[in-house]
Every structure is written in C-alpha cells, then in structure tokens.
Amino acid sequence: MKQPLLASFFGKGGMAKAKTSKPADSEKPTNDSSSKSSGDDDSAVVNDMDVDKQAAKAEDEPELDVGKLDIKSNSSSDKPATGTKRRIVDSDDDGSATEFSDKEDTGSATDPSDAEEEQEAAAAAAASAASKKKKRAAKPALKKAKGAPVKVKKAEPITLIDTKEGKKIPFLALCKVFEAIEATTKRLEITALIRDFFVQVMDIDKEELTDAVMLCIAKVAPDHEGIELGIGESILLKSIASATGRQIQKVKQEHQALGDLGVVVERGKSNQNTMFKPKPLSISKVFHTFREIATTSGSSSIQKKTGLITGLLGACTNVESKYLIRSLEGRLRIGLAESTVQTALAHAARIRENDGDSDSLAPEDFLQATENLKQVLSEFPVYTHVIDSIYKYGINDIANHCTLTPTLPVKPMLAKIEKAADDILRRFEGKPFTCEFKYDGERSQIHYVADGDETQCVIFSRNAENNTAKYPDIASSVKEFAGPNVKSFILDCEAVAWDKINGKIRSFQTLSSRKRKVENEAEITVGVCCFAFDLLYLNGEALIRMPLRKRRELLREHFVPVQNKFQFAISKDLTEVEDIQEFLELSIEENCEGLMIKTLDGSTSSYEPSKRSMNWLKLKKDYVDGLGDSLDLVVIGAYFGKGKRVGAYGAYLLACYDPDREEYQAICKIGTGFSDADLESHKEKLDESRISAPKPYYAFSEKTKPDIWFAPTVVWEVKAADLSLSPIYQAAYGEIDPSKGVSLRFPRFIRIRDDKTPEMATSSTQVAEMYESQKINH
DNA sequence: GTCGGTGCGGGAC
DNA sequence: GTCGGACGAATTCGG
DNA sequence: CCGAATTCGTCCGACGTCCCGCACCGAC
C-alpha cells in the first residue's frame, strides 16, 4: 500500500501599554497582612470588600444476524456517536460461539459487503509489519486518512466475548478494539468503538467492566489512593529483553529506532516462534496483575515486577503485548484518553438502560448521560463506586448517590490561556469579573471535617494526589484560619513558599525542595503560606453550583487571614482594559505569575470542572508577544523523537555562548513550539551540519548528552517563563553559584534567527543577568 | 552489614 | 507546564 | 436562503526543568 510520506502541514495580538493616565483612584489592592502591616485580622481585609480587596471481531459470528450486524458507525449520524447499532443478542446459545484465536481471524469475520474496508484495515495492520522500513507509515494520522476518506468505516463487530457463565473476557478483545481505535483519528468513531465494547461487557459483569475501564484510562487506582505502577522505561526494557530472549542493549537500540516500546515487543515476539499457545489472558487477569505490580515494593521489588511483566508477556499474542506495554507506560497513545472513555461509558450505560437499543435515543439523551457522568466523576473520582451506582440507580440518577464529599478530591477547575488583556473584555462582554493574582506555588485543596472532637484534614494536589503528609503545618493551622462556626470545608488554595522573616514570597524552585513526607513539623525547612481563592464546600453543603461572588463572600466571611500562614489571594474587580493591564504589571511586581480572570455571576461562574473544562482565564506576561524572557540560542544537538515524532527529532539541545571562554554552554533542551513542518525542515537543515562527536568547546553534562551532535550554525529564538538554577546545565556556570549553571523554565521555540551567527547568540553573561534580574532571587 | 552515590519513577510546574 | 494538529460544532460568508 | 468556508472549542499527545523518595550497587 502506498503510505504517504510524512504529511506536512501549514499553518501558523499585542497588548496595549496602558500606563496612561488612569484613574488610579482607590483600589490599591492591599494584601493586608502580607508584608508589614499585617493587621491580620479581618478587619482591614474583609471590610473593604467592596473595593475589592484581597484578596474484533469473532471468527464468525454464528448467532448474529448479519443484517443487523453491520452497522455503520457514525458517519452520517446526526446523533453523536449513536451510529453504530449492533445487536448482539446471542448469548443464549452456548457461548462457544465466539471462540477466538489469535491468528488472523480478522478478515473472515465480517460481512462480505465490506470487504473493501476490511482490506483497508488489514492493510493498515499489515502495513506495520510489511512496510516496517518506513516507520512513518505507522503514524496513525496518515494511516487511514488517505485511504478511504470518503467512506466511513463501519464499526466492526468485535465479539471475542464469550458470554458463558464464568468465562472471563479476553484481553485480546479489548486489544482488538484498541487496534481499531488506533487506526482512526475520528473522534466520533473512537467513541463508538469503545462504547460498543462497553455495552457488551456491561451485560456480562460489573467487575470486568470496571477493570476494562481502568485499563482504558491506564490507571491502576484512583489518583488519591497513591497506588502507582512504579514501572518505567528501564524496567520495561529489562522485561522485554527477558521475554523475547534478547540482550537489553539490542532492545534499547530498537527502541531508539522505533520510538515505541510497544512496537518493539510486538516485533520481538513475532520473531519468536512459539511452540505452544499460551492460555489466553483475560482482562481481569491483566488488571489484577497490574495491581500486584503496583503494590510490590521493598528490596528486590524490581526483580519481582520484572518477573510479573515477563509472565504477562509470555501469555500475550503480538497485539496484546503491544498494548500491554503501552499500558504499563501509562499511556495507550491511541487517541483515547480519559475524557473520551467517560463519554463512551455514559453512552454505553444509556444504551443498556434502553435495552440495548440506541436508535430510539435522542442526542440529548446521550448528552445528558455524559454530562451526568462527567460531573459525578469530577466530584467523586472513584470508578468502582460510580460504576456500581450506575448499575444500582441508572446513569441518570447517579448524581444523587455520588456527591461531593470532603476527604475525596474534587477535580480542580482549570484556566484557559489568554494572550491579551483586550480579549478578556470581549470574552466577558459586560459581565462583571474579577482578577486575582496567580501565585507561583502548588495548587492545594484543603479538606476538613470535624465530627465532635474528631477532626480530619486532608490536602490534595492539583492532580488529586494526597499531599497531607507534605503539609502537616497547614493541617495544624486549620483552626487558626477557619472561623469558629466552621465544621467542615473544602478550600481551593495555592501553597506558596514563604519567607516569614521578610514576609515575602519565595520561588517555586524553593517550594519544590520541600520534603514530601514530613514526619515532624519541626524539621520543615521551607515554610509555606496558603493563598485561598475559592471555597467549594462549607458545613455540610456543597457550594460549587453557587456563583463565584457568593462563594467568595462565604470564604471571606468564614475564614481569617493568619500572618505567614493563610491569606486571601489578592483580587480586584475590574472593567477597563487599562486597569487589567496595570494590575497585571502589579502582580508581576509582586512576584506572581500573572492574573486569573473569572466571571462573578451567573451560571458560568459556578465551579463546574467537567462541564466546561476551563471557565477561567489566565493571563501571564510571557504569553504576550514581545514581553517575557526571550533568548537567541545555538542548536548543538538533537534527540530522536518518540511516538508521533518518530522519524523526526523530538527535541534539541541548545546552548548560549561564552565569548570569554570561547565555548558554547548547554542551557536547555527544547521540544515544543514546532509545527510539523518545522520539525521536518529543521531536521533537514541541521543534518547538514551533523558531526560525529561534540566540539571540544561544548560545555555539557553527560546527563543531557544528545543522540546527534551538530556544529554550531543555527540560532533560534526561544521564549521562557523564568530562569532557574540548574544542577545539570552549564550556562553561566559559576557566575551565580559555584557549582550550578542556569536553565530555562518552560522553553519553547519561537522562530529561526537567520540574521544571527552563533557568536551573536545570547551570551552567558546576559543569561546570568537575566537570572539576577528576577527579583525573587533577591 | 552499613553508607553514600546513582539512576529511575513520578509528581509539581 | 507549552504547544500544534485533528475533529466536530458553530458561525459567517457568498452566491 | 442554503451550502460552503471559516472560526472556535475540545481533546490528545508530543515535549521542557527540577525535585524528592526509593531501590540498587559498590566501597568500605
């Protein structure tokens, strides 16, 4: 088949300088207690509120009526993804109907009429094997795209499922679905595929459905339970080597070439001739082995884990091994992520409750179900429990049984990037909104419950990790900042490293050096101050559906700033662009990252994480064209790309120039900001200056050693949010700290600087100056 | 057998 | 964290 | 007024620095 080469794509607002006059009237935001004043009590603060303030398919499907069976998924569907209707009524029969064999049953299974597409699919699959030479062919994007754009692929019935009592659902069935998903980029189709699978599993067994869902999202437990696989590249390499009987080095090489461990195993296994057919893996077997891996720790745990993985691999067919490995990497990379899985699960549940009939359901029915499920999971992120409730009460009623509960993390509301202050007014046109300082710390969700004398405080991170052990100091000061009538709450805050001697914010880098498991409060080296900006729950009542104005009111009414420990995020309710601009400058001045902008009233101001994933806006200085730190750096090396970047370089090593020592000093890697076309053209151009070993005048560390070296010829403009003190990069080495260099936070490619020679790149002295000018470093 | 260095995994941004 | 690409839905444009 | 073209929002997966905790390993 003709696989098109890497396709190329094409494609690619300023801010007014306010400052003019401006009725600076009042509104000097004062964070009261912040530094000096500290009138910590509410007085100052709370009062001026108004001014504002502070703060598959089967071998053959005997039972299926062919007619009904083929379904066209979506495509024309007017309803979202309801397209595919399939009836798998069988189950009655003796089950054995659907024996599966790992060999190629694909083709045969489906209905002849579709031979065409079938071939297409087969081709795709074959492609990887046949045309292995050009790995690009494997790019999902290209796979199908060209082939049959017109015809929509029908969802192939995948029924490797034996419904007979006691039989487990084969892992292979799920993998077949993954394969089909990977072959397309159409979102509706993806949803339909996984949804159909869930529909089938759902009828069979609740536990297996849960296991399947967990495998789809590549998780082994809810985030807050802190159960992690603890598996990474090196352990996988080891396991693959042992399972396929090869040297680790070999596997490593192949990994570099292919950029995908999944593909590496798949090929490795197919080269192996298996004498006997292993007992097929079931979904629950796989999932439970994953859990076992996750829960082993201690001495020689790596060996045990490797053993478990090797065992699984031994029982895998080729396809299975690919997805098994990717699951262990924590990312399936097939275009199916949690949000889509949730949608599919909701649709499946709705269909099941309609006796398996999707035709009579309206698009709104699906929408409603999806919204319910997403909302519930964001308030009660425990799949086992939620799925349980679906069975018990129905998808439309789960919200009444899985409600926001202190002690269980709420998915935090996020913000969308906004690049210019002007756009904000347009977006919010006329509606009142507030601007808050965006502090550079760590998102903390503080939960508290008092039950008589028993009190409990739990603190979660932005990603729902349980951080209670990291912040015992916060937990122990709850009683100081919570008012006397507060019995329970969930607070949304930013925990920021705090210099209590000078009453100042410290850098993010400082915060991150804090111990993660503090045994004794006395040993805390980095103090923290919480800047609260929202209240989600208070005294037994969820507040998330209230408008922000109300939540903020309750926050200020029931909580009290405490010096050096707890404050309200500084905020101002504004209406003019110039004011926003000025407030942004002020936030920067105060060592914050920028502003968060939120509407105050109406439904858009409620705390609804799932409905609109980002209802807040964030405005940072470095988003604005022409502002923020920008450097011109020399490209001296490159790293092979992985996944969708195979065939290109995934990242490059950059250096600044030190004219005194006449050397190029590594400063950071860069891997974002490139369009696909950039990726291609950069490689082409840079390969011309490829050299086999680093120049003697390159200063770099082994830890950042690139796969490919270049002579210093190309200069790029790069933007960064901050500069950091680095243990592994050499830029401005010794100028600030005798044993550390400087690196960049959030580096991204902006453009090529054809007009600069490498010697004209940003110098190490300039780098040092830029670092020094960040006042937060003193 | 203990101790410190190293490399990996995972989590912040 | 930043960023670009693909989809699908919403909105605008052009005949 | 309707279909085509364009814009917008969402989702996904590439990739960045730095840090701690843990398992491992070699030196003593």
Side-chain angles (χ1 to χ4, degrees), chain A residues 37 121 160 165 196 283 378 381 426 453 494 636 705 718 777:
Chain A
S37 68
L160 292 166
E165 186 100 20
D196 288 347
I283 283 180
S378 68
R426 188 173 50 74
D453 288 344
E494 190 80 5
I636 61 169
K705 190 172 165 215
V718 160
N777 305 316

Side-chain angles (χ1 to χ4, degrees), chain A residues 27 57 67-68 157 166 173 203-204 256 287 355 388 487 646 666 732:
Chain A
E27 330 276 66
K57 76 249 333 37
K68 311 177 166 163
D203 271 334
I204 299 172
Q256 279 217 317
F287 181 69
D355 297 325
D388 219 65
K487 300 281 182 287
V646 282

